[in-house]
Short mmCIF file of all heavy atoms in Angstrom, two decimals:
data_model
loop_
_atom_site.label_atom_id
_atom_site.label_comp_id
_atom_site.label_asym_id
_atom_site.label_seq_id
_atom_site.Cartn_x
_atom_site.Cartn_y
_atom_site.Cartn_z
N ALA A 593 -61.65 -25.00 41.39
CA ALA A 593 -60.95 -25.12 40.11
C ALA A 593 -60.42 -23.77 39.66
O ALA A 593 -59.28 -23.65 39.20
CB ALA A 593 -61.88 -25.72 39.05
N ALA A 594 -61.25 -22.73 39.82
CA ALA A 594 -60.83 -21.39 39.42
C ALA A 594 -59.67 -20.90 40.29
O ALA A 594 -58.74 -20.24 39.80
CB ALA A 594 -62.01 -20.42 39.52
N ILE A 595 -59.70 -21.24 41.58
CA ILE A 595 -58.61 -20.82 42.47
C ILE A 595 -57.30 -21.50 42.05
O ILE A 595 -56.25 -20.85 41.96
CB ILE A 595 -58.95 -21.15 43.94
CG1 ILE A 595 -60.14 -20.32 44.41
CG2 ILE A 595 -57.74 -20.91 44.83
CD1 ILE A 595 -60.65 -20.69 45.80
N VAL A 596 -57.37 -22.79 41.77
CA VAL A 596 -56.14 -23.53 41.39
C VAL A 596 -55.57 -23.01 40.09
O VAL A 596 -54.36 -22.74 39.99
CB VAL A 596 -56.43 -25.05 41.30
CG1 VAL A 596 -55.26 -25.78 40.63
CG2 VAL A 596 -56.67 -25.63 42.69
N VAL A 597 -56.40 -22.85 39.06
CA VAL A 597 -55.85 -22.42 37.77
C VAL A 597 -55.37 -20.97 37.80
O VAL A 597 -54.38 -20.63 37.14
CB VAL A 597 -56.85 -22.63 36.62
CG1 VAL A 597 -57.23 -24.10 36.48
CG2 VAL A 597 -58.08 -21.76 36.76
N THR A 598 -56.04 -20.12 38.58
CA THR A 598 -55.59 -18.72 38.65
C THR A 598 -54.32 -18.57 39.49
O THR A 598 -53.68 -17.51 39.44
CB THR A 598 -56.69 -17.79 39.21
OG1 THR A 598 -57.13 -18.29 40.49
CG2 THR A 598 -57.85 -17.67 38.25
N SER A 599 -53.93 -19.61 40.20
CA SER A 599 -52.63 -19.56 40.89
C SER A 599 -51.50 -19.46 39.87
O SER A 599 -50.39 -19.01 40.21
CB SER A 599 -52.43 -20.79 41.78
OG SER A 599 -52.21 -21.95 40.99
N ALA A 600 -51.77 -19.85 38.63
CA ALA A 600 -50.75 -19.74 37.57
C ALA A 600 -50.43 -18.28 37.26
O ALA A 600 -49.34 -17.98 36.77
CB ALA A 600 -51.24 -20.45 36.30
N ILE A 601 -51.37 -17.38 37.54
CA ILE A 601 -51.14 -15.96 37.25
C ILE A 601 -50.01 -15.40 38.12
O ILE A 601 -49.05 -14.83 37.59
CB ILE A 601 -52.44 -15.15 37.39
CG1 ILE A 601 -53.47 -15.64 36.37
CG2 ILE A 601 -52.17 -13.65 37.21
CD1 ILE A 601 -54.84 -15.01 36.52
N PRO A 602 -50.06 -15.56 39.45
CA PRO A 602 -48.90 -15.11 40.25
C PRO A 602 -47.66 -15.99 40.03
O PRO A 602 -46.54 -15.48 40.04
CB PRO A 602 -49.39 -15.18 41.69
CG PRO A 602 -50.56 -16.10 41.68
CD PRO A 602 -51.19 -15.95 40.33
N LEU A 603 -47.86 -17.30 39.85
CA LEU A 603 -46.70 -18.19 39.70
C LEU A 603 -45.91 -17.90 38.43
O LEU A 603 -44.68 -17.85 38.46
CB LEU A 603 -47.16 -19.66 39.69
CG LEU A 603 -47.56 -20.27 41.04
CD1 LEU A 603 -48.08 -21.68 40.85
CD2 LEU A 603 -46.37 -20.25 42.00
N PHE A 604 -46.61 -17.70 37.31
CA PHE A 604 -45.94 -17.50 36.03
C PHE A 604 -46.00 -16.04 35.58
O PHE A 604 -44.99 -15.48 35.13
CB PHE A 604 -46.55 -18.40 34.96
CG PHE A 604 -46.52 -19.86 35.32
CD1 PHE A 604 -47.63 -20.67 35.13
CD2 PHE A 604 -45.39 -20.43 35.87
CE1 PHE A 604 -47.61 -22.02 35.46
CE2 PHE A 604 -45.36 -21.78 36.22
CZ PHE A 604 -46.48 -22.57 36.01
N GLY A 605 -47.18 -15.43 35.68
CA GLY A 605 -47.33 -14.07 35.20
C GLY A 605 -46.50 -13.07 35.98
O GLY A 605 -45.93 -12.13 35.41
N PHE A 606 -46.41 -13.27 37.32
CA PHE A 606 -45.66 -12.34 38.17
C PHE A 606 -44.46 -13.01 38.84
O PHE A 606 -43.73 -12.35 39.58
CB PHE A 606 -46.57 -11.74 39.24
CG PHE A 606 -47.69 -10.90 38.67
CD1 PHE A 606 -48.97 -11.44 38.50
CD2 PHE A 606 -47.46 -9.59 38.30
CE1 PHE A 606 -49.99 -10.68 37.96
CE2 PHE A 606 -48.48 -8.82 37.77
CZ PHE A 606 -49.75 -9.36 37.59
N GLU A 607 -44.31 -14.33 38.61
CA GLU A 607 -43.20 -15.10 39.20
C GLU A 607 -43.14 -14.88 40.71
O GLU A 607 -42.08 -14.69 41.29
CB GLU A 607 -41.88 -14.71 38.54
CG GLU A 607 -41.84 -15.00 37.04
CD GLU A 607 -40.53 -14.59 36.41
OE1 GLU A 607 -39.52 -15.29 36.65
OE2 GLU A 607 -40.52 -13.57 35.68
N ASN A 608 -44.31 -14.94 41.34
CA ASN A 608 -44.42 -14.70 42.77
C ASN A 608 -44.93 -15.97 43.45
O ASN A 608 -46.13 -16.23 43.51
CB ASN A 608 -45.37 -13.52 43.04
CG ASN A 608 -45.35 -13.09 44.50
OD1 ASN A 608 -45.14 -13.89 45.40
ND2 ASN A 608 -45.56 -11.80 44.72
N ARG A 609 -44.00 -16.77 43.96
CA ARG A 609 -44.37 -18.03 44.61
C ARG A 609 -45.02 -17.79 45.97
O ARG A 609 -45.81 -18.63 46.44
CB ARG A 609 -43.13 -18.91 44.77
CG ARG A 609 -42.47 -19.29 43.44
CD ARG A 609 -41.27 -20.21 43.67
NE ARG A 609 -40.61 -20.54 42.43
CZ ARG A 609 -39.61 -19.85 41.90
NH1 ARG A 609 -39.19 -18.76 42.53
NH2 ARG A 609 -39.03 -20.23 40.78
N PHE A 610 -44.69 -16.67 46.62
CA PHE A 610 -45.23 -16.40 47.95
C PHE A 610 -46.74 -16.16 47.90
O PHE A 610 -47.44 -16.36 48.89
CB PHE A 610 -44.54 -15.18 48.57
CG PHE A 610 -43.09 -15.41 48.88
CD1 PHE A 610 -42.10 -14.87 48.08
CD2 PHE A 610 -42.72 -16.20 49.96
CE1 PHE A 610 -40.76 -15.10 48.35
CE2 PHE A 610 -41.38 -16.43 50.25
CZ PHE A 610 -40.40 -15.88 49.44
N VAL A 611 -47.24 -15.75 46.76
CA VAL A 611 -48.68 -15.60 46.55
C VAL A 611 -49.24 -16.85 45.88
O VAL A 611 -50.29 -17.37 46.27
CB VAL A 611 -49.01 -14.35 45.71
CG1 VAL A 611 -50.50 -14.30 45.37
CG2 VAL A 611 -48.58 -13.08 46.44
N GLY A 612 -48.52 -17.35 44.88
CA GLY A 612 -49.03 -18.46 44.08
C GLY A 612 -49.22 -19.75 44.85
O GLY A 612 -50.25 -20.41 44.73
N TYR A 613 -48.24 -20.13 45.67
CA TYR A 613 -48.34 -21.40 46.39
C TYR A 613 -49.47 -21.40 47.42
O TYR A 613 -50.27 -22.36 47.47
CB TYR A 613 -47.01 -21.73 47.08
CG TYR A 613 -45.90 -22.15 46.13
CD1 TYR A 613 -44.57 -22.05 46.50
CD2 TYR A 613 -46.18 -22.66 44.86
CE1 TYR A 613 -43.54 -22.43 45.64
CE2 TYR A 613 -45.18 -23.04 44.00
CZ TYR A 613 -43.85 -22.93 44.39
OH TYR A 613 -42.85 -23.32 43.54
N PRO A 614 -49.61 -20.37 48.26
CA PRO A 614 -50.75 -20.36 49.20
C PRO A 614 -52.09 -20.37 48.47
O PRO A 614 -53.03 -21.04 48.92
CB PRO A 614 -50.55 -19.07 50.00
CG PRO A 614 -49.09 -18.79 49.91
CD PRO A 614 -48.68 -19.24 48.55
N TRP A 615 -52.18 -19.63 47.37
CA TRP A 615 -53.42 -19.60 46.61
C TRP A 615 -53.74 -20.98 46.05
O TRP A 615 -54.90 -21.42 46.05
CB TRP A 615 -53.31 -18.56 45.49
CG TRP A 615 -54.59 -18.22 44.79
CD1 TRP A 615 -54.85 -18.35 43.46
CD2 TRP A 615 -55.78 -17.67 45.36
NE1 TRP A 615 -56.12 -17.91 43.16
CE2 TRP A 615 -56.71 -17.49 44.31
CE3 TRP A 615 -56.15 -17.31 46.66
CZ2 TRP A 615 -57.99 -16.98 44.53
CZ3 TRP A 615 -57.42 -16.80 46.87
CH2 TRP A 615 -58.32 -16.64 45.81
N LEU A 616 -52.71 -21.69 45.63
CA LEU A 616 -52.87 -23.05 45.12
C LEU A 616 -53.37 -23.98 46.23
O LEU A 616 -54.30 -24.78 46.02
CB LEU A 616 -51.52 -23.53 44.58
CG LEU A 616 -51.46 -24.85 43.81
CD1 LEU A 616 -52.32 -24.78 42.56
CD2 LEU A 616 -50.01 -25.16 43.44
N VAL A 617 -52.79 -23.85 47.39
CA VAL A 617 -53.19 -24.70 48.52
C VAL A 617 -54.62 -24.41 48.92
O VAL A 617 -55.40 -25.33 49.23
CB VAL A 617 -52.23 -24.48 49.72
CG1 VAL A 617 -52.77 -25.19 50.97
CG2 VAL A 617 -50.84 -25.00 49.38
N ILE A 618 -55.00 -23.13 48.93
CA ILE A 618 -56.39 -22.77 49.27
C ILE A 618 -57.36 -23.45 48.31
O ILE A 618 -58.40 -23.98 48.73
CB ILE A 618 -56.56 -21.23 49.22
CG1 ILE A 618 -55.84 -20.58 50.38
CG2 ILE A 618 -58.06 -20.85 49.25
CD1 ILE A 618 -55.78 -19.06 50.30
N GLY A 619 -57.02 -23.46 47.03
CA GLY A 619 -57.89 -24.12 46.04
C GLY A 619 -58.05 -25.60 46.33
O GLY A 619 -59.16 -26.14 46.23
N LEU A 620 -56.98 -26.27 46.72
CA LEU A 620 -57.05 -27.70 47.02
C LEU A 620 -57.84 -27.96 48.30
O LEU A 620 -58.59 -28.95 48.39
CB LEU A 620 -55.64 -28.28 47.15
CG LEU A 620 -54.80 -28.26 45.86
CD1 LEU A 620 -53.40 -28.80 46.13
CD2 LEU A 620 -55.46 -29.08 44.76
N VAL A 621 -57.70 -27.08 49.29
CA VAL A 621 -58.47 -27.23 50.54
C VAL A 621 -59.96 -27.06 50.27
O VAL A 621 -60.78 -27.85 50.76
CB VAL A 621 -57.99 -26.21 51.59
CG1 VAL A 621 -58.93 -26.21 52.80
CG2 VAL A 621 -56.56 -26.53 52.03
N VAL A 622 -60.31 -26.05 49.48
CA VAL A 622 -61.72 -25.86 49.13
C VAL A 622 -62.24 -27.07 48.36
O VAL A 622 -63.36 -27.55 48.60
CB VAL A 622 -61.90 -24.57 48.30
CG1 VAL A 622 -63.34 -24.44 47.81
CG2 VAL A 622 -61.51 -23.35 49.12
N ALA A 623 -61.43 -27.61 47.45
CA ALA A 623 -61.84 -28.79 46.67
C ALA A 623 -62.07 -29.99 47.58
O ALA A 623 -62.96 -30.81 47.32
CB ALA A 623 -60.77 -29.11 45.62
N TYR A 624 -61.30 -30.09 48.66
CA TYR A 624 -61.46 -31.20 49.60
C TYR A 624 -62.88 -31.24 50.17
O TYR A 624 -63.47 -32.31 50.34
CB TYR A 624 -60.44 -31.07 50.73
CG TYR A 624 -60.58 -32.10 51.81
CD1 TYR A 624 -59.99 -33.36 51.69
CD2 TYR A 624 -61.30 -31.83 52.98
CE1 TYR A 624 -60.12 -34.32 52.69
CE2 TYR A 624 -61.43 -32.77 53.99
CZ TYR A 624 -60.85 -34.01 53.83
OH TYR A 624 -60.99 -34.97 54.83
N PHE A 625 -63.43 -30.07 50.45
CA PHE A 625 -64.77 -30.00 51.04
C PHE A 625 -65.88 -30.02 49.99
O PHE A 625 -67.03 -30.30 50.31
CB PHE A 625 -64.89 -28.73 51.89
CG PHE A 625 -64.04 -28.75 53.13
CD1 PHE A 625 -62.85 -28.04 53.17
CD2 PHE A 625 -64.41 -29.49 54.23
CE1 PHE A 625 -62.05 -28.05 54.30
CE2 PHE A 625 -63.63 -29.52 55.37
CZ PHE A 625 -62.44 -28.80 55.41
N VAL A 626 -65.52 -29.74 48.74
CA VAL A 626 -66.52 -29.69 47.67
C VAL A 626 -66.67 -31.04 47.00
O VAL A 626 -67.79 -31.55 46.82
CB VAL A 626 -66.16 -28.61 46.63
CG1 VAL A 626 -67.08 -28.70 45.42
CG2 VAL A 626 -66.25 -27.23 47.25
N ASP A 627 -65.54 -31.63 46.60
CA ASP A 627 -65.60 -32.89 45.85
C ASP A 627 -64.22 -33.54 45.89
O ASP A 627 -63.25 -32.98 45.38
CB ASP A 627 -66.01 -32.63 44.39
CG ASP A 627 -66.24 -33.91 43.61
OD1 ASP A 627 -65.24 -34.58 43.28
OD2 ASP A 627 -67.40 -34.23 43.30
#
Side-chain angles (χ1 to χ4, degrees):
I595 294 173
V596 168
V597 300
T598 55
S599 71
I601 297 174
L603 284 176
F604 304 135
F606 297 97
E607 299 179 73
N608 189 329
R609 299 182 182 91
F610 293 104
V611 174
Y613 288 158
W615 191 239
L616 189 61
V617 171
I618 289 171
L620 295 177
V621 171
V622 174
Y624 176 84
F625 292 102
V626 171
D627 186 287

